[in-house]
Amino acid sequence: MVVGIGTDICDLRRIAGVLARKGDRFAQKVLGPAEWQVFQVRRARAESRGLAYLASRFSAKESFSKAIGLGMRMPMTWRSCEILNHPSGQPFVHLSEELAEWFAARGWRAHVTLSDETDYVVSFVVVETLADAPASPSP
């Protein structure tokens, strides 16, 4: 059963502006440890690749927070929700800390998709109950 759906569109120029003003502090606030490593590698190849990566993760976390019904309030934090990729390239949601416990207690599973163009990234998240999960407590 679908628990929640979240979507977000992000203007890369907006993220570029924030990065220009705040520098790496912004990226370190938004990205978890594994995402930070990928961001550094992509940015080293091309600034535009790093920017698109950061914007896509920002957007996906916004979508995820909407799908779970919390927005950006505890236990949802930027760094406790990471959007990583399987070797095939498929993105997936990796949770840690209190958010992982909170999410698992509800017996939920998340699906995420990302897409980017020259100036925008878009993300879409669907959260569903696992087939054998008990009835979920409300957010």
Side-chain angles (χ1 to χ4, degrees):
M1 179 175 91
V2 173
V3 174
I5 298 170
T7 189
D8 187 74
I9 187 167
C10 184
D11 188 329
L12 274 87
R13 296 164 294 195
R14 178 177 157 229
I15 299 298
V18 175
L19 261 179
R21 286 190 310 278
K22 300 193 179 221
D24 281 351
R25 287 181 313 159
F26 174 69
Q28 289 170 338
K29 175 183 175 183
V30 171
L31 301 175
E35 292 170 318
W36 175 254
Q37 291 176 355
V38 174
F39 171 69
Q40 295 287 54
V41 169
R42 290 193 181 186
R43 186 168 65 170
R45 285 190 204 145
E47 190 67 32
S48 61
R49 286 182 56 125
L51 177 63
Y53 182 82
L54 175 60
S56 68
R57 274 42 193 181
F58 180 90
S59 179
K61 292 174 189 204
E62 285 281 332
S63 293
F64 179 79
S65 73
K66 293 170 187 175
I68 63 173
L70 289 179
M72 283 300 180
R73 65 175 208 271
M74 292 302 286
M76 177 65 195
T77 67
W78 292 108
R79 293 176 51 81
S80 64
C81 174
E82 290 187 291
I83 310 302
L84 304 175
N85 294 87
H86 291 293
S88 66
Q90 177 188 19
F92 68 94
V93 177
H94 176 264
L95 305 176
S96 60
E97 303 169 2
E98 290 177 52
L99 182 58
E101 294 172 23
W102 181 88
F103 194 80
R106 285 154 177 76
W108 291 351
R109 173 177 36 209
H111 306 276
V112 60
T113 188
L114 306 163
S115 186
D116 63 273
E117 282 297 326
T118 304
D119 294 327
Y120 298 97
V121 298
V122 65
S123 61
F124 192 77
V125 173
V126 175
V127 174
E128 66 177 347
T129 54
L130 298 171
D132 56 348
S136 303
S138 59

